[in-house]
Amino acid sequence: MAIDYQQKIPNNVDLASDKVLQRALEHWQPEFLNWWGDMGPEGSHRFDVYLRTAVSVEPSGWAHFDYVRMPDYRWGIFLNPSSSDRRIGFGDHKGEAVWQEVPGEYRSNLRRIIVTQGDTEPASVEQQRHLGMTCPSLYDLRNLFQVNVEEGRHLWAMVYLLHRYFGRDGREEAEALLDRRSGDPNKPRILGAFNEQTPDWLSFFMFTYFTDRDGKFQLSALAESAFDPLARTTRFMLTEEAHHMFVGESGVARIIQRTCEVMTGNKVDDVQQLRKFGAIDLPTIQRYINFHSSVTLDLFGSDVSSNAATFYTTGLKGRFEEGRIADDHILKDQAYPVYEVADGKLSLREAPALNALNERLRDDFIKDSVAGVGRWNKIIQKYGINFEFAVPHKAFHRQIGPLAGLKVSPDGHVVGEDEWAGREADWLPTKEDRAYVQSLMGRVVEPGKFANWIAPPALGINKQPAAFEYVRFN
Ligand SMILES: [Fe+2]
Ligand SMILES: [Fe+2]
């Protein structure tokens, strides 16, 4: 079904045929817009931004690019098409037809899964709301806003499911999604990483590289769900998510490139010297990697979790690329390695595979995030500089699960309190690092100009040149 943009709420779910649902969502819509006005990108209300808008859910040509005045963005409800013969791919219901309605016995677990995913979407918009004031270029400003409007749309995606399938409870949860605030101690967002600040653009790029990638893996697991509307919604969200991770990977890559240019052009590798030239030194970038990687790893939850087992067994949440895994998709008698600490050392033990599904998804995520860091290293090599980034060990700086609070170095050794205290400034961003990065944040908004600490992109958006006027101020 094509997306109907004549409707108050653009959608491809034939909203007009369900008046009660339509009215409920049209009641939520102004509350969403109020939230966007209060918590969306600061000062952006009169900007015309060159944005992509979904016009179909077909893989070929689903996006349309044009200038949009930000608050007039058409947030809508888009599900991938259903295939009439889709079967459940895992768990106790494997082989049965997928569900078009929520089975009563799974209602509260499904609602919790949808609310937890939904809560991350507005949270990241809140975390990023001030960044536009210090954008390094119009190109980057546009990318920030693109990510923000799409996170807003992902909230719509989850709110649709809550309204459509969860009755009054669902409507209350949809209200609460607009009520919580990232970092507010009285009404925080549900997950830890979404209450952290995103105070500068290096943090933003790291967030979109690591934390939006957590989104990719969570959405991929939900895309396997036996609850078909959730699977179809998350499949379309994944299409949008790819751009968010591109913004992160290419943003960090451009910072690294600029740093390498300054290092080789001026023959400096001393950190303080390099900072005088206004570039971000590679060790600081490594500490940001360590921070964002570890905070994001916590989002996958506890290593061994009975909830994870229940979600899988009951068909609510699958594994990453479930269909490509060659096993029984039931996992009752299988094992999976998780860490434990014995005699002051990390060692692996076998846990029941069903209970270790969070750990498995975390490992899938790590494999994926290592690949991009390898591409960052290629840039350094190209400049002949002797430095290599690494993703920190899974046990480094963890706050959730049995590894929480353990002192482990980025290369995976358990260390004493003293060693941790002595090395922490080498491993995690210091106050000075953050202040230095903050000191570089100015506002560059002349078309084709880029802040000194970041290289221009190799290509613009939608085949436009890098110097294109991606944002028009009015
Ligand atoms: Fe999202
Ligand atoms: Fe995202």
Side-chain angles (χ1 to χ4, degrees), residues 90-387:
F90 60 93
D92 287 350
H93 300 288
K94 184 171 168 253
E96 298 171 16
V98 291
W99 317 318
Q100 299 305 330
E101 295 291 333
V102 179
E105 64 269 41
Y106 304 146
R107 194 180 165 87
S108 72
N109 276 344
L110 256 177
R111 192 181 65 209
R112 178 167 159 195
I113 287 171
I114 292 168
V115 166
T116 306
Q117 177 62 42
D119 193 66
T120 66
E121 315 289 359
S124 67
V125 174
E126 292 165 359
Q127 289 170 292
Q128 295 161 14
R129 84 177 236 90
H130 302 298
L131 289 172
M133 310 308 277
T134 57
C135 62
S137 72
L138 282 186
Y139 167 87
D140 291 290
L141 185 62
R142 177 262 166 215
N143 284 349
L144 168 71
F145 290 160
Q146 183 72 59
V147 171
N148 292 159
V149 293
E150 284 173 353
E151 301 305 5
R153 208 203 64 71
H154 292 175
L155 172 61
W156 270 95
M158 294 297 111
V159 163
Y160 166 71
L161 295 178
L162 290 169
H163 272 240
R164 166 69 179 79
Y165 297 98
F166 294 88
R168 174 198 267 271
D169 298 352
R171 289 194 295 276
E172 283 172 7
E173 294 285 12
E175 306 263 324
L177 285 168
L178 295 177
D179 198 39
R180 285 184 288 273
R181 289 286 181 274
S182 175
D184 184 328
N186 297 318
K187 41 178 185 173
R189 292 292 172 184
I190 295 169
L191 299 170
F194 291 90
N195 288 302
E196 298 279 347
Q197 288 187 337
T198 310
D200 58 65
W201 279 76
L202 179 57
S203 300
F204 170 65
F205 292 133
M206 291 291 176
F207 184 98
T208 41
Y209 184 77
F210 286 105
T211 311
D212 282 84
R213 190 175 311 275
D214 160 70
K216 167 185 166 180
F217 281 83
Q218 299 298 343
L219 294 174
S220 297
L222 297 179
E224 305 289 341
S225 183
F227 179 45
D228 201 41
L230 176 61
R232 290 163 55 203
T233 305
T234 45
R235 273 170 211 272
F236 188 66
M237 290 162 76
L238 279 164
T239 314
E240 295 167 315
E241 205 60 53
H243 177 67
H244 307 180
M245 289 178 288
F246 159 80
V247 168
E249 179 170 340
S250 61
V252 175
R254 289 161 50 215
I255 295 175
I256 295 167
Q257 186 190 327
R258 180 64 189 143
T259 301
C260 292
E261 280 168 16
V262 173
M263 288 175 77
T264 51
N266 299 285
K267 301 201 166 44
V268 285
D269 56 9
D270 174 74
V271 167
Q272 294 311 325
Q273 290 271 327
L274 187 67
R275 287 186 175 186
K276 284 188 189 133
F277 288 98
I280 304 179
D281 49 284
L282 302 177
T284 293
I285 296 173
Q286 176 66 63
R287 287 190 284 275
Y288 272 68
I289 291 174
N290 292 350
F291 176 79
H292 286 271
S293 171
S294 58
V295 166
T296 303
L297 289 185
D298 276 335
L299 287 172
F300 291 86
S302 198
D303 310 26
V304 176
S305 157
S306 57
N307 276 336
T310 303
F311 293 168
Y312 187 84
T313 307
T314 55
L316 309 187
K317 185 177 176 184
R319 289 173 292 176
F320 177 62
E321 299 193 323
E322 183 72 47
R324 294 196 187 174
I325 303 171
D327 61 17
D328 67 0
H329 305 275
I330 296 192
L331 310 181
K332 291 254 196 273
D333 314 304
Q334 296 175 42
Y336 193 84
V338 298
Y339 276 111
E340 67 179 358
V341 188
D343 304 327
K345 277 196 180 139
L346 284 171
S347 57
L348 288 168
R349 72 175 172 93
E350 300 273 279
L354 273 176
N355 295 71
L357 285 167
N358 288 342
E359 192 64 6
R360 184 186 173 113
L361 197 59
R362 185 168 15 245
D363 288 336
D364 289 332
F365 165 89
I366 291 172
K367 261 181 246 153
D368 204 53
S369 64
V370 164
V373 174
R375 289 188 285 275
W376 293 341
N377 282 330
K378 289 244 158 52
I379 302 169
I380 309 180
Q381 283 163 16
K382 205 179 73 193
Y383 282 87
I385 293 168
N386 186 22
F387 189 96

